[in-house]
Amino acid sequence: MELGWLLWGAAVLLLLPVLMELSPAVNFALRIGFYYLLFFVCSALTAPVCLLVNGGRTVKNMRIIKTVVKTFKYFFGLRFEVKGLENFEVEGPAIIVSNHQSILDMMGLMEVLPDNCVQVGKKELMYAGTVGLIIYLGGVIFINRKSTSSAKMVMAEVAKTMATDNVKVWVYPEGTRNCTGDLLPFKKGAFHVAVQAQVPVIPVVYSSFTTFYNPKKNLFTSGKIKVEVLPPIETKGLTSDDVSELTDRCYRTMRATLFRLSGRPGE
Ligand SMILES: CCCCCCCC/C=C\CCCCCCCC(=O)SCCNC(=O)CCNC(=O)[C@H](O)C(C)(C)COP(=O)(O)OP(=O)(O)OC[C@H]1O[C@@H](n2cnc3c(N)ncnc32)[C@H](O)[C@@H]1OP(=O)(O)O
Ligand SMILES: CCCCCCCC/C=C\CCCCCCCC(=O)OC[C@@H](O)COP(=O)(O)O
């Protein structure tokens, strides 16, 4: 019996490199599958720690989550080159906005996440198994993208409480993942919240993943991701009439930075 298992194990070990060589699809599936498995298992192991240490749903759990997720990059040969972290050092709350390319963004998010910062996420994530539990414990704000009115209500609540809770709120204004190397048009919710709460908007840009990650081409290799935290954009004195201009200004700045970081000629 043991001999059988031994032979089977040796065969898999010998075959794996061949399989991975032969088929990018296998390589991609193995790496992404391992990423999901890491999320799933680490969430299950970290949730009890969060409950023990912090007792329940609190942004303080993000410190624990961040410590764990920051180790994931080593499994995938990913490196981050970060600039501008000092721009997070604003007095009090702020709205942070960044581009969103893939579920790999969670590593980039945790690489630079400032203290006391929660994220806005689609409510479907609450049901993502153990990951749903851990992000709930971390204080993630869930919105229903399909119902603008309910999403607006949640965001209005955020604008009210972020000052008293002294939390920063991280929003992906594209509203969905987009791995094209460009930016989708920005949703305005993050900017309405910033103006309602009269807090600065801090743009964060991640260079394009297209050189090492493209699900359509089964590409997922190691790579370097440049991250730049841009200077805060003040909203003091702005009103909801200024939101469109604020959104456009932020979009243009982030798009120019994305092209610069990704070595793509600006348009
Ligand atoms: C331990 C190890 C384990 C590992 C596991 C741990 C993992 C890591 C841990 C933890 C991190 C987890 C993090 C998860 C992250 C997930 C990310 C996502 O899920 S991205 C999808 C959700 N995000 C969004 O959708 C963006 C925010 N969206 C918005 O802000 C939208 O604006 C929204 C939903 C509020 C409305 O969207 P609309 O599609 O209706 O489009 P619009 O153009 O923005 O709004 C329509 C009209 O409503 C007004 N409006 C929008 N928001 C408003 C507001 N708040 N107040 C007043 N008016 C508003 C606008 O001005 C516009 O009106 P006019 O065109 O100007 O006339
Ligand atoms: C043996 C493996 C078992 C797996 C069982 C399932 C347990 C769930 C495991 C991993 C879930 C990973 C989700 C982590 C959070 C990812 C955040 C994210 O990037 O979500 C996408 C969202 O921004 C936008 O969604 P769309 O682009 O609009 O769509």
Side-chain angles (χ1 to χ4, degrees), residues 38-40 42-43 46 62 64-65 68-69 72 100 106 109-110 119-122 125 131 134-135 140 143-145 147-148 151-153 155-156 171-177 186-190 192-193 196 243-244:
L38 261 183
F39 266 76
F40 186 68
C42 292
S43 298
T46 309
M62 278 296 170
I64 301 172
I65 293 170
V68 176
V69 176
F72 290 7
H100 191 12
M106 294 303 105
L109 169 74
M110 292 298 154
Q119 300 78 29
V120 168
K122 63 179 185 181
L125 290 173
V131 176
I134 198 75
I135 62 178
V140 167
I143 60 164
N144 177 359
R145 291 181 297 188
S147 160
T148 302
K152 281 182 187 177
M153 272 161 49
M155 304 286 263
V171 184
Y172 291 102
E174 295 169 282
T176 184
R177 288 164 290 180
F186 278 5
K187 305 282 185 184
K188 299 175 185 168
H192 275 285
V193 173
Q196 286 160 10
V243 165
S244 291

Side-chain angles (χ1 to χ4, degrees), residues 42-92:
C42 292
S43 298
L45 297 174
T46 309
V49 175
C50 290
L51 285 166
L52 274 173
V53 172
N54 294 314
R57 174 172 160 93
T58 163
V59 66
K60 284 188 277 184
N61 288 325
M62 278 296 170
R63 284 194 203 122
I64 301 172
I65 293 170
K66 173 174 172 168
T67 308
V68 176
V69 176
K70 281 184 83 167
T71 64
F72 290 7
K73 57 181 174 282
Y74 300 113
F75 291 103
F76 301 98
L78 294 176
R79 296 182 319 286
F80 290 95
E81 197 179 278
V82 183
K83 273 176 69 179
L85 278 179
E86 67 279 3
N87 287 316
F88 278 145
E89 286 152 28
V90 294
E91 268 306 299

Side-chain angles (χ1 to χ4, degrees), residues 119-177:
Q119 300 78 29
V120 168
K122 63 179 185 181
K123 71 173 176 56
E124 292 83 349
L125 290 173
M126 222 182 328
Y127 316 115
T130 53
V131 176
L133 170 62
I134 198 75
I135 62 178
Y136 171 79
L137 289 174
V140 167
I141 299 157
F142 297 101
I143 60 164
N144 177 359
R145 291 181 297 188
K146 298 180 184 71
S147 160
T148 302
S149 55
S150 82
K152 281 182 187 177
M153 272 161 49
V154 169
M155 304 286 263
E157 196 51 34
V158 170
K160 276 197 214 110
T161 55
M162 66 190 287
T164 42
D165 299 345
N166 191 26
V167 288
K168 291 181 175 66
V169 178
W170 189 302
V171 184
Y172 291 102
E174 295 169 282
T176 184
R177 288 164 290 180

